[in-house]
Amino acid sequence: MKKFFWLAVIVLLLLTFSDHELLRPYRDQIYGLILDNAPSSGKMSDEQAMRQIQKQFKDLAANWGEGQQQQLDKAVASKESLLVFHQRYCVNRDFNPILFGEPLRQSCSIIDSQMEALTSP
C-alpha cells in the first residue's frame, strides 16, 4: 500500500509539473504514443489515421528535398486533400513533377495502409 501511495504521489507531481520546459518533450512523446495507440471504439478513426500518415510521411521524407516535403505536407493538410492526392497520383497514376518514382510509390503505400480507416463512415 505504501508503494502505491508513493507511485500516486509521483504521478501527480509529474502531471502538475509536466508543462515545465524540461519535461515537455517527454510529455508530448507520451501523449503522442497514447493518441496513436489508444483505440477509439475498436477501430482506428480517420484522425488517428491522419496522424499516423503524417508521422510516417515525416519519417519518410526526412532525407528528401524541400519541394517533396512541401508536396507531402500539402497532401496531408486535410482528409479531403489526402483522398484527392491518393485518387490522382496513386489510383489514376497522374504524373507528379515533384514526387515521382520510388518516393511516390512509398507515399502511396503509406496511404494505402490507412485507407480503410480513412474511408470508413
Side-chain angles (χ1 to χ4, degrees):
M1 187 69 166
K2 198 177 201 182
K3 290 180 183 180
F4 177 74
F5 172 74
W6 285 113
L7 179 66
V9 168
I10 290 171
V11 168
L12 289 174
L13 284 172
L14 286 174
L15 289 173
T16 302
F17 297 107
S18 67
D19 201 31
H20 192 271
E21 61 190 48
L22 292 175
L23 296 176
R24 192 175 303 131
Y26 303 109
R27 180 199 64 188
D28 293 343
Q29 286 178 348
I30 290 171
Y31 286 166
L33 285 173
I34 290 170
L35 288 175
D36 287 342
N37 295 325
S40 62
S41 70
K43 290 187 176 180
M44 182 181 289
S45 70
D46 56 347
E47 296 164 356
Q48 288 174 322
M50 288 293 294
R51 277 195 303 272
Q52 189 72 22
I53 290 171
Q54 287 173 341
K55 181 180 173 190
Q56 289 178 344
F57 275 0
K58 187 179 287 188
D59 293 342
L60 181 67
N63 297 325
W64 293 354
E66 186 177 324
Q68 292 173 323
Q69 290 175 356
Q70 288 174 350
Q71 182 77 23
L72 288 179
D73 289 341
K74 187 175 140 184
V76 294
S78 68
K79 179 181 171 182
E80 292 77 26
S81 65
L82 185 66
L83 293 175
V84 167
F85 178 88
H86 181 262
Q87 183 65 38
R88 286 184 67 195
Y89 301 117
C90 301
V91 176
N92 295 346
R93 303 263 185 218
D94 290 349
F95 179 71
N96 187 334
I98 298 171
L99 264 175
F100 56 90
E102 190 60 29
L104 182 62
R105 278 191 290 277
Q106 291 173 345
S107 302
C108 288
S109 69
I110 290 172
I111 297 171
D112 287 335
S113 68
Q114 302 292 334
M115 275 309 282
E116 182 180 338
L118 289 172
T119 57
S120 66

